[in-house]
Amino acid sequence: MAGHRNKGLVPTRRTALTLMGAGALVSAGITLARAATGDDEVLTEAKVLRDPDVPVAGNPDGNVSIIEWSDYNCPYCRKLEPELRQVVQDDGKVRLVLKDWPILGPVSVTAARIALAAKYQDKYHKAHDAMMGVSSRLTESRINEVLASVGVDMDRLKGDLTTHAKDIDAILKRNNEQAEAFGFNGTPSFIVGKYRVPGVLSMNQFEQVIADARKARMN
């Protein structure tokens, strides 16, 4: 199960083809997505894996990347978060690329914009972890309360939201276009190495897909 986007915002591109010019790969029903003609600029390797404006956790020099599209109001994202972070920590060689994909309403958009604004004071990860750690549905007042409690400078945050509005909105636009091009219908969704994972996996399943991604990389 996953958090699904609102009606009227269904992705227009559903076809999952191959990504980054590689041949199609299939493992345990998980296929690699590839850019179609109209999506080449959306799904380049650099933009999906190495967008310099998108925050990275785990090992930034890791030999396998997990790209996660998530929404702060998605209960499945929150439930999965500690398990995924444990897998990344235990492995030690995984880059975790955090793509904010706010599809569950206006508060989700506010939360994503605030998290990305927090990176200008080097507090993205604090903001991300704090909002993912909330057990109830977020509201704007709750977001402000939680971020202030983890040391985010709220006055600076407001200024950065205004000053960097175009850059923040451009990141969210890229994240959304990529998610649509991969045919993702809800959060959380993942690319692990060259494998497309549209949904929630267990810790053991993540470990297996990471191992498969490493093998694929060697071939």
Side-chain angles (χ1 to χ4, degrees):
M1 294 295 292
H4 290 281
R5 55 167 55 220
N6 296 336
K7 292 181 179 179
L9 295 175
V10 177
T12 57
R13 292 165 289 193
R14 300 267 185 161
T15 307
L17 303 171
T18 51
L19 169 69
M20 297 178 259
L25 297 172
V26 180
S27 175
I30 301 167
T31 16
L32 168 64
R34 177 179 188 173
T37 302
D39 296 330
D40 287 342
E41 288 303 308
V42 175
L43 296 185
T44 63
E45 179 176 1
K47 288 184 179 178
V48 175
L49 297 183
R50 308 273 175 190
D51 187 332
D53 296 322
V54 171
V56 173
N59 183 344
D61 299 316
N63 57 18
V64 169
S65 293
I66 296 179
I67 303 95
E68 178 186 17
W69 284 261
S70 64
D71 185 305
Y72 292 107
N73 259 329
C74 167
Y76 307 104
C77 299
R78 291 179 190 149
K79 182 178 180 180
L80 180 66
E81 180 82 1
E83 295 184 357
L84 176 59
R85 291 303 182 100
Q86 189 64 52
V87 170
V88 170
Q89 180 180 318
D90 290 348
D91 183 281
K93 295 181 180 180
V94 173
R95 294 175 68 247
L96 178 59
V97 183
L98 301 169
K99 296 201 182 248
D100 291 287
W101 189 28
I103 58 174
L104 299 176
V107 175
S108 292
V109 175
T110 297
R113 295 187 78 252
I114 283 175
L116 290 170
K119 76 185 180 124
Y120 294 100
Q121 55 179 285
D122 295 323
K123 296 287 179 64
Y124 173 87
H125 292 289
K126 281 187 175 294
H128 175 91
D129 294 349
M131 288 191 286
M132 280 296 181
V134 175
S135 59
S136 58
R137 190 166 181 83
L138 289 171
T139 62
E140 289 191 34
S141 61
R142 182 70 174 130
I143 291 170
N144 292 334
E145 177 187 341
V146 168
L147 266 59
S149 73
V150 295
V152 174
D153 182 332
M154 301 306 289
D155 289 332
R156 176 172 177 179
L157 185 75
K158 290 175 184 176
D160 286 334
L161 277 168
T162 300
T163 302
H164 300 287
K166 289 184 178 179
D167 293 333
I168 291 168
D169 290 342
I171 294 168
L172 294 177
K173 183 175 184 289
R174 290 198 298 274
N175 292 352
N176 181 69
E177 287 174 345
Q178 291 167 8
E180 289 187 353
F182 280 119
F184 294 142
N185 294 322
T187 52
S189 292
F190 302 89
I191 298 294
V192 181
K194 295 179 178 179
Y195 293 91
R196 175 179 174 272
V197 185
V200 177
L201 298 182
S202 68
M203 291 179 70
N204 288 341
Q205 288 170 327
F206 264 117
E207 289 169 356
Q208 183 60 56
V209 176
I210 290 167
D212 290 343
R214 283 205 174 97
K215 289 178 185 177
R217 188 171 176 268
M218 298 295 290
N219 295 331

